[in-house]
Amino acid sequence: GLGTINIPVYVHIVLPNANDVSNSQVQAQMNVLNDDFNSTNANQLPSGATNFVNDATITDINFSLAGTFRHNDSRSSWGTNNAIKSAYPPITPDTHLNIWVCNIGGGILGYAQFPGGNSSTDGIVLLNSTLPGGSAAPYNLGRTATHEVGHYLNLRHIWGDGRCRQDDFVEDTPSSDGANYGCPSYPTVNCKTTDMTMNYMDYTDDSCMYMFTDGQRNRMRAIFASGGARASM
Ligand code: ARG
Ligand code: ZN
Ligand code: CA
């Protein structure tokens, strides 16, 4: 097997005052990623969520901070068209996850590039206030990064971005017909199955997200194998 996968991370903070995001927030964000990807977070399943009780997986993927770069830039919103990546290009994206932290605008929390795309735009972009301790409650516990890194590692939304028969290509995530928001009560049933609303790849509140599944772990890890889209890491 591949064993533990270590992903070194470069963080680019691009804000009118780039010191508004502190080093301790950046480190807290790294800790959230490591906890979420290794099922060592403190989240709990909703009481009675018996059918998912053994489904939170350990991906054995770790993240380590390789460098933080601050750019004071007066631009007030960057959109989702990769403009920030042209202005501040990724550093060695074949071997490093690049994370841009900025004001995206339009109420967008984050966006990501799937594996296999152009290396000049590879990485994820986060709204600055989604980092732990930020002001984007209920999305300020750092789980936007977890969700976006999920996309970066080939995961789809658990509803497959379509109706019930649209797949996310993961066997053990029940099908659903759309995103869930807030902190849904259990069970939330769509497509005749109980939604895994606490999965990181749904749209629920940070405090109500809890897990990746074994199937998601296998789909993510597959891209690091020989011939996979992130084998160079
Ligand atoms: N809407 C964004 C996306 O689809 C991020 C959702 C993040 N959700 C959260 N609870 N932090 O990529
Ligand atoms: Zn998403
Ligand atoms: Ca599924």
Side-chain angles (χ1 to χ4, degrees):
L2 292 164
T4 301
I5 294 167
N6 289 297
I7 302 182
V9 179
Y10 286 132
V11 177
H12 311 264
I13 302 169
V14 183
L15 289 169
N17 183 354
N19 286 320
D20 285 352
V21 172
S22 67
N23 288 338
S24 63
Q25 270 185 292
V26 172
Q27 190 52 57
Q29 178 65 80
M30 300 300 301
N31 294 346
V32 169
L33 283 173
N34 284 316
D35 283 340
D36 286 353
F37 275 80
N38 291 285
S39 198
T40 53
N41 59 53
N43 285 34
Q44 296 295 319
L45 282 179
S47 63
T50 43
N51 45 348
F52 301 138
V53 84
N54 291 316
D55 289 351
T57 199
I58 297 170
T59 69
D60 211 5
I61 299 171
N62 292 325
F63 303 87
S64 57
L65 186 62
T68 304
F69 306 94
R70 286 186 168 78
H71 303 280
N72 294 326
D73 189 312
S74 62
R75 181 162 167 165
S76 58
S77 69
W78 286 91
T80 53
N81 66 354
N82 294 323
I84 195 162
K85 303 168 183 177
S86 314
Y88 304 99
I91 300 170
T92 54
D94 290 346
T95 53
H96 289 70
L97 163 62
N98 282 258
I99 300 180
W100 291 264
V101 176
C102 66
N103 188 3
I104 301 173
I108 303 294
L109 300 170
Y111 67 99
Q113 180 168 300
F114 286 105
N118 194 313
S119 67
S120 68
T121 49
D122 201 15
I124 71 167
V125 182
L126 300 174
L127 174 64
N128 57 307
S129 52
T130 67
L131 267 64
S135 61
Y139 307 112
N140 61 347
L141 300 180
R143 298 223 149 85
T144 300
T146 304
H147 178 110
E148 301 307 336
V149 173
H151 287 314
Y152 171 86
L153 298 179
N154 213 23
L155 297 187
R156 308 291 167 137
H157 295 134
I158 52 166
W159 65 99
D161 294 313
R163 309 303 291 180
C164 296
R165 287 168 65 192
Q166 183 69 40
D167 203 2
D168 66 349
F169 312 113
V170 172
E171 189 77 34
D172 57 1
T173 53
S175 68
S176 184
D177 65 347
N180 293 290
Y181 293 92
C183 199
S185 60
Y186 180 90
T188 294
V189 177
N190 288 297
C191 308
K192 301 189 170 121
T193 54
T194 299
D195 282 4
M196 194 179 273
T197 64
M198 60 298 287
N199 192 285
Y200 297 125
M201 301 316 289
D202 205 334
Y203 271 5
T204 44
D205 290 353
D206 279 14
S207 63
C208 298
M209 291 182 153
Y210 173 80
M211 64 195 293
F212 291 120
T213 66
D214 288 350
Q216 288 175 316
R217 174 195 64 203
N218 295 341
R219 185 171 167 82
M220 289 192 276
R221 290 179 63 89
I223 63 174
F224 295 97
S226 170
R230 297 202 185 283
S232 61
M233 289 188 138

